[in-house]
Amino acid sequence: MSAEILHRIQFALTISFHFVFPPMSIGLGLILIILGVKSVRTGDPKWRQLSMFWVKIYGLVFAMGIATGIVQEFQFGTNWSVFSRYVGNVFGSLLAAEGIFAFMLEGGFLGLMLFGGSKLGNRLWLFATTMVVTGAMFSATWIVMANSWMQSPAGSEVRDTAQGAQAFMTDFADVVFTPTFIPRILHVLVASWIVGAAFVMSVGAFYLLKGRHEDLARTMIRVSLPLFAVLSVLQVFVFGSNAAVAVTENQPQKLAAMEGLYETRDCAPMFIVGWSDEETRETTGLSVPCLLSFLATQDFQGQVDGLEQFPTDEWAPVNLTFQVYHLMIDLGVLFMAIGAFALAMWAWKGRLWDMRWLLWVLVSTIVLTHIATQAGWWTAEIGRQPWIVWEQLRTADAYSPMVGTGNLVFSIVMFVLLYGLLFALFLFLLNRKIQDGPPPPPSEEDTSSLPDSFAEVFARRPHRASQDSTTAATGGEK
Amino acid sequence: MSWLATTWFVLFVVIVAGYVILDGFDLGVGMLSPFVARSDHDRRVLLNSIGPVWDGNEVWLVLAGGALFAAFPLVYAALFSGFYSAMMLVLLVLILRTVAIEFRSKRHSQRWRNTWDWFFFASSLGITLLLGVALGNVVRGVAIDEAGNMTVDLVELLNPYSLLIGITAVAMLCLHGAIFLTQKVEGELLAKVKRLIPRLGVTFFVLATAAVLATLQVDSEMVDTFRDRPWTVVFPIGALLSTLVAWRLVEATWYLAGFLASATTIALLLASVAAGLYPVMLPSSIDRAYDLTVHNAASADNTLQVMFVIALIGMPFVLLYTAGIYYFFRGKVEIDQDSY
C-alpha cells in the first residue's frame, strides 16, 4: 500500500474518532448552562443535582476530546508536513487565536467547572461552566474557520519559496470570513447541540424505561426534547440548507458529487436513497423531482452544474460522497419526525411517559445523531477530494515525504489498539456513571455555604492541617 | 521587520517554559508517586494534588505546538515529520497518562488501581524522557536537507548526549514535582517528600552541570554564541544558583517561594538553550546553510503581526485566570466525593 493511502487512513481514523467527542461536549455544555441558569433562577436543588450528574459525564467526554485532540494537532506536522508548510502562514493567526482564547479558557476553567459541585455556589459555578463552554465553542469556531479556508480559500495568495509553494495571507478578515465559514460554523454548532440534547434525552428515556430516578429523568427530557425537536427542524430547513447553498456557490463539483449529478441540467432531482455508478455515470434511486434545483438556486427550474463540467481527475469519489451525504440528510429528516412525534405524545396528556417503544427510540437518538455528525463531516472532507486545499493543493501532494511506510503501519496499528482501549474504557465508565445515577440532592445549607461571588472565593481559607475536614469542606465556615 | 520573528521566538520559548514549569510538576509527581506513596490513600493524595490543574497544564503543550505551527511553520513541519516515530510515542504516552489519571480511582479493585498507577508513573517518565531526548537532538543538530525535510529514527535519537539531556530532564522534573508537593501534602507524606528533596537536588545539580558542559562540547557554535553575547551566561549560572535557593527555601518551610525558585531554574535553563541557539532553531548537521532559523522559518510579517496583537490581548487574561485558579485550589489536598 502506498504511503499516501496509509497517511489518509491514519488521518481518517483519528479525526473520525476525535470527532465523536467535541460535538458531545459542545452540546452537553449548552444543557449544563441551561441547568445552571435554572438553578440560579429557581434555587430548586434538583437542578444542581442534575448539574452534578452531567458535569461528571462532561468531564469524561472532555478528557477524551483533549486526549484525541492533541493527536490531531501533532498530526498536521508529523503526517502532513507539506500541507503544514503550505498553510502555516494562513492558519497561523487562526491557530494562535484558538490556542489563546479557546484552549486556555477551556483548560483553565475546567477544574473549577468539574469540581464546582462541591466548591462553588450556583452563580459562580454557572460562570465557570459558561467559560468552559464558551471556550469549547470558540475552539469549534476556529477549527471550522481553518477548515472553511481549505474548502473555499480567500484572503491569500500562493508564492513559490525555497521550500516549495506556500500560501501567504493578504487579508486577515478575508481569511476569517471565507465564503463558506458562517453557514458551516452554524451548521456544526447546531449539529453539536442536537447531539447534546439527544444525549440527555436518551439517558432520561433509559431511566424511565428502567423505572429509575423517574422525576429527574422526566426533567431531563423536558429540557432536552423541545431543544432537540426545534433544533432538528432548524437544522434541516435553515442551517443545513444554507450550508448546501454555500457548497453550491463555492464548490459546485462537490455538490454534484453529493447528489451524484453527472449531467448539467435544470429541474435536477434530489435523492432520498440511491446508488451512483461512476463507470456508467448513472445515479438511480428514489428521488424528489426538481428539489435539488430549488435548494441550490431557489428555483425549481434552476440549472445545476453536473460533474461533466469538470475534469475527471478533479472528481471526488462520487458514490461514497453521495452515500454519506444522504445518510446525514435522511437522519436529519428522521430527527424532525422523532422530535415532533415525541413532543405531540408529551402534549397529548403525557402519553410519552408510558410509550415504551417511543422511549427506546429516544434512547437510540444518541447513536443516530453521532452517525449523522460523522456522515456530515465525511461529506465535507471526502467531497473536497482530491484537494486538501480547494483547487490549490492536492492531498496526494501534501503528506510528509520522509516518513516511511513501516513507521506508518506501526502508528496506524498503535492508534487502532490505543483508540480501541480508549473507547472501551470510555463506554465502560460512561455506563457506570449512568448506572450509578445522579447523586443525592444537595442540601440547601451545603449549597448556600459555598462561595458564590469573587469576593467570597478570595476570602475562602485554604484547608490547613489543624482544621478538621468537615470545616474545610464547607469553605472555612465559622 | 525581524523584530517580529524574534519576538515570536521569545514568546515561543516563554510558552514552552510555561509548559515545562506547569506540566513539569505534575509529570514530576507522576514519576515520584511509586516511591513516595505506598498506600492507596497517599497515592490519591498525590493524584489529587494535581487533580484540578493537570488538564489545564497540558493545554500549554497544545499551545506550544500551535504557536510553533503558526509562527514557524517550517520548523513545525520539519521537526514533527522528522521525529515521526518519537512523536507517535509521545502521543501514545500522553494518551495513556490521561487515561490512567481519569480511570484510576473509578474502581475499588486494587489490581485495577495498581495497573493504572503503574501507567501513570511510566507515562510521566516516558513523556519527560522523550521530550528531553528530543530537545537534546535539536541542540545537537539534525539532518535537515535543502528542502527543509529530515528524518531521524528512534534509534538515532538515542545518542549519549541526548540521553544525558533526557535524564537531566527527569531529575529536574522529579525535583520540581517534589518541591510542588511540599505545598500540597502534610504529615508523614510531607516528611518523606522533604527527605527526598536534597537527594534529588544533588542528582539534578550534578546532571545539569554535566549537561551544560556536554552542550558546549557538542555544539561548538554555542560556545561562539556565548562568546559573542557574554551576558547570556547569566542564564545557566542563574539556573544552577536558583536550584540551591529553592532547596534552602524548602528547608525554611517557605514552600511557595521554593516552588517559584524551582520554576525559575527551569525557565533559566530553557533560556540558556534558547540564547545559545538563537537565531538558529533547528541546526542542520548536513550543512549549516540549511539551518532553519528564526528568520528563514518564520511566517510572513503580517501573519506574525496579527498573531502578536491576539497574543497581546489574550495573554494577560490567560495569566490572570491561571493565577486565579491556582489561588483557588491552593492549600493542602483533601479527598472528597469529586476527587480522582
Side-chain angles (χ1 to χ4, degrees):
Chain A
M1 217 181 276
S2 75
E4 182 201 335
I5 298 290
L6 291 170
H7 280 293
R8 283 178 184 269
I9 289 174
Q10 180 167 325
F11 198 81
L13 185 78
T14 51
I15 188 73
S16 298
F17 188 65
H18 174 62
F19 195 59
V20 171
F21 305 102
M24 264 204 277
S25 52
I26 293 170
L28 212 46
L30 179 70
I31 303 267
L32 280 167
I33 290 180
I34 295 174
L35 297 177
V37 169
K38 289 275 190 188
S39 194
V40 170
R41 283 242 182 107
T42 64
D44 185 339
K46 80 170 176 189
W47 297 111
R48 203 174 159 87
Q49 197 183 355
L50 280 175
S51 298
M52 285 166 125
F53 173 69
W54 281 105
V55 87
K56 295 236 162 159
I57 293 179
Y58 186 94
L60 183 62
V61 172
F62 192 92
M64 297 288 292
I66 284 275
T68 54
I70 292 180
V71 174
Q72 292 316 116
E73 193 207 33
F74 274 44
Q75 270 195 111
F76 295 123
T78 52
N79 294 67
W80 303 93
S81 63
V82 176
F83 167 77
S84 301
R85 271 198 285 263
Y86 186 89
V87 300
N89 262 295
V90 175
F91 282 9
S93 34
L94 303 181
L95 278 170
E98 170 172 23
I100 287 174
F101 294 127
F103 273 141
M104 296 308 275
L105 215 52
E106 289 177 85
F109 282 95
L110 185 71
L112 279 181
M113 175 183 178
L114 297 185
F115 292 80
S118 60
K119 292 206 162 57
L120 295 176
N122 285 329
R123 271 182 298 157
L124 219 50
W125 194 14
L126 175 59
F127 172 76
T129 305
T130 311
M131 286 296 117
V132 175
V133 175
T134 310
M137 280 171 45
F138 263 157
S139 196
T141 305
W142 303 118
I143 292 295
V144 174
M145 215 177 252
N147 189 272
S148 296
W149 185 85
M150 289 161 66
Q151 305 278 356
S152 54
S156 58
E157 64 181 26
V158 182
R159 289 180 216 151
D160 272 321
T161 70
Q163 284 85 12
Q166 286 180 39
F168 284 84
M169 186 171 82
T170 51
D171 189 316
F172 179 58
D174 286 350
V175 168
V176 169
F177 295 103
T178 56
T180 56
F181 167 60
I182 296 287
R184 296 182 80 234
I185 181 65
L186 292 175
H187 185 50
V188 167
L189 285 179
V190 172
S192 304
W193 292 336
I194 293 175
V195 172
F199 196 12
V200 176
M201 196 163 72
S202 67
V203 172
F206 177 76
Y207 283 152
L208 286 180
L209 284 163
K210 297 285 163 191
R212 290 184 225 157
H213 321 288
E214 292 191 16
D215 276 350
L216 288 174
R218 285 204 188 93
T219 309
M220 287 183 201
I221 294 182
R222 280 194 199 104
V223 170
S224 54
L225 174 59
L227 201 61
F228 177 82
V230 172
L231 288 174
S232 300
V233 174
L234 291 176
Q235 184 74 311
V236 170
F237 289 110
V238 183
F239 300 108
S241 53
N242 281 349
V245 171
V247 172
T248 316
E249 285 168 2
N250 297 284
Q251 301 166 292
Q253 55 272 58
K254 184 176 174 179
L255 183 85
M258 280 154 63
E259 276 301 340
L261 185 69
Y262 295 92
E263 285 170 38
T264 300
R265 58 175 290 185
D266 42 2
C267 184
M270 181 159 165
F271 284 86
I272 297 165
V273 287
W275 190 263
S276 186
D277 189 332
E278 284 172 60
E279 295 295 314
T280 59
R281 299 197 172 185
E282 260 172 45
T283 305
T284 46
L286 196 60
S287 64
V288 183
C290 302
L291 187 57
L292 179 63
S293 286
F294 181 74
L295 283 179
T297 63
Q298 288 75 51
D299 173 5
F300 284 105
Q301 294 305 321
Q303 193 183 64
V304 183
D305 287 342
L307 282 163
E308 62 176 15
Q309 303 278 82
F310 307 95
T312 43
D313 71 339
E314 292 181 12
W315 288 13
V318 181
N319 193 41
L320 186 56
T321 314
F322 179 94
Q323 296 303 341
V324 287
Y325 174 63
H326 285 89
L327 181 60
M328 173 189 75
I329 295 275
D330 294 345
L331 282 171
V333 174
L334 179 66
F335 298 153
M336 283 200 305
I338 294 175
F341 186 67
L343 269 187
M345 287 303 108
W346 176 20
W348 189 22
K349 300 181 201 158
R351 273 162 208 263
L352 167 66
W353 311 125
D354 301 314
M355 294 175 77
R356 294 187 67 83
W357 70 268
L358 186 56
L359 290 174
W360 277 117
V361 171
L362 295 191
V363 171
S364 75
T365 53
I366 183 57
V367 177
L368 297 177
T369 49
H370 269 301
I371 295 174
T373 47
Q374 291 282 343
W377 199 249
W378 289 344
T379 308
E381 296 295 276
I382 297 170
R384 194 191 57 230
Q385 303 304 323
W387 306 104
I388 194 165
V389 176
W390 189 248
E391 292 183 338
Q392 291 189 10
L393 182 67
R394 280 174 186 267
T395 314
D397 300 328
Y399 61 85
S400 305
M402 309 288 273
V403 178
T405 48
N407 278 336
L408 283 164
V409 171
F410 162 78
S411 57
I412 291 173
V413 171
M414 177 188 97
F415 279 120
V416 169
L417 295 177
L418 188 61
Y419 282 6
L421 169 78
L422 216 50
F423 198 55
L425 281 167
F426 172 72
L427 292 180
F428 169 76
L429 288 176
L430 183 64
N431 180 50
R432 263 177 44 112
K433 281 185 204 294
I434 293 171
Q435 300 290 352
D436 287 352
S443 80
E444 206 96 350
E445 298 153 50
D446 281 353
T447 311
S448 59
S449 68
L450 294 171
D452 206 14
S453 69
F454 289 111
E456 284 167 35
V457 167
F458 289 99
R460 168 183 170 271
R461 291 216 311 274
H463 173 59
R464 289 198 199 288
S466 56
Q467 276 175 315
D468 77 38
S469 60
T470 48
T471 334
T474 52
E477 186 183 28
K478 305 253 157 39
Chain B
M1 280 214 300
S2 68
W3 67 269
L4 262 173
T6 302
T7 308
W8 268 102
F9 179 68
V10 173
L11 270 177
F12 174 67
V13 175
V14 169
I15 294 171
V16 170
Y19 169 69
V20 180
I21 290 168
L22 292 176
D23 210 32
F25 73 72
D26 63 58
L27 290 168
V29 169
M31 290 187 281
L32 290 172
S33 60
F35 307 105
V36 176
R38 298 259 173 236
S39 71
D40 185 60
H41 178 267
D42 284 0
R43 289 196 175 164
R44 286 191 72 187
V45 168
L46 291 201
L47 198 54
N48 283 285
S49 72
I50 61 170
V53 291
W54 70 272
D55 235 355
N57 294 343
E58 216 167 273
V59 170
W60 285 79
L61 180 64
V62 178
L63 192 60
L68 190 64
F69 188 177
F72 303 100
L74 301 190
V75 177
Y76 170 78
L79 190 68
F80 279 55
S81 65
F83 286 0
Y84 187 84
S85 32
M87 286 297 172
M88 289 299 137
L89 282 184
V90 169
L91 289 174
L92 175 72
V93 281
L94 269 176
I95 293 180
L96 285 178
R97 186 163 181 271
T98 307
V99 176
I101 296 176
E102 286 294 325
F103 294 159
R104 181 219 180 259
S105 298
K106 302 283 152 97
R107 288 189 68 179
H108 289 291
S109 147
Q110 201 54 51
R111 253 185 68 192
W112 169 277
R113 292 189 168 188
N114 287 344
T115 309
W116 288 121
D117 282 341
W118 188 85
F119 272 110
F120 179 45
F121 161 75
S123 54
S124 303
L125 178 67
I127 294 171
T128 313
L129 205 57
L130 279 166
L131 293 181
V133 167
L135 179 68
N137 279 285
V138 167
V139 172
R140 200 167 151 264
V142 283
I144 302 178
D145 63 19
E146 208 175 347
N149 286 321
M150 60 156 184
T151 177
V152 191
D153 267 343
L154 208 51
V155 184
E156 293 170 62
L157 283 176
L158 299 176
N159 48 69
Y161 170 74
S162 304
L163 280 173
L164 173 64
I165 301 293
I167 294 166
T168 310
V170 171
M172 176 174 88
L173 295 190
C174 281
L175 177 65
H176 189 53
I179 294 177
F180 168 79
L181 278 177
T182 56
Q183 305 170 77
K184 290 288 167 186
V185 300
E186 50 201 0
E188 183 51 35
L189 205 51
L190 177 62
K192 223 175 191 172
V193 170
K194 287 183 76 171
R195 277 199 299 277
L196 215 53
I197 287 176
R199 271 184 273 167
L200 288 171
V202 170
T203 314
F204 167 66
F205 197 90
V206 172
L207 283 170
T209 313
V212 170
L213 295 177
T215 304
L216 296 178
Q217 281 292 314
V218 162
D219 188 346
S220 54
E221 297 234 341
M222 217 178 244
V223 182
D224 297 338
T225 320
F226 278 116
R227 204 170 287 143
D228 292 346
R229 298 191 284 261
W231 59 273
T232 50
V233 296
V234 299
F235 292 141
I237 293 171
L240 292 176
L241 282 180
S242 64
T243 312
L244 297 177
V245 173
W247 172 57
R248 291 309 307 163
L249 288 169
V250 170
E251 289 290 296
T253 72
W254 290 17
Y255 301 133
L256 176 63
F259 177 73
L260 294 177
S262 175
T264 310
T265 304
I266 293 175
L268 287 175
L269 271 184
L270 287 168
S272 320
V273 176
L277 283 174
Y278 179 86
V280 178
M281 291 184 77
L282 265 188
S284 169
S285 58
I286 297 178
D287 184 340
R288 294 307 296 242
Y290 302 155
D291 283 359
L292 290 181
T293 70
V294 167
H295 306 296
N296 71 14
S299 286
D301 275 353
N302 58 351
T303 301
L304 294 176
Q305 217 161 352
V306 171
M307 286 164 52
F308 188 61
V309 173
I310 292 170
L312 225 48
I313 300 168
M315 278 316 256
F317 286 105
V318 170
L319 295 177
L320 200 69
Y321 66 65
T322 305
I325 284 155
Y326 272 85
Y327 184 78
F328 182 79
F329 286 110
R330 75 197 184 281
K332 305 290 184 186
V333 176
E334 25 176 327
I335 303 284
D336 61 26
Q337 90 238 9
D338 283 345
S339 298
Y340 280 103

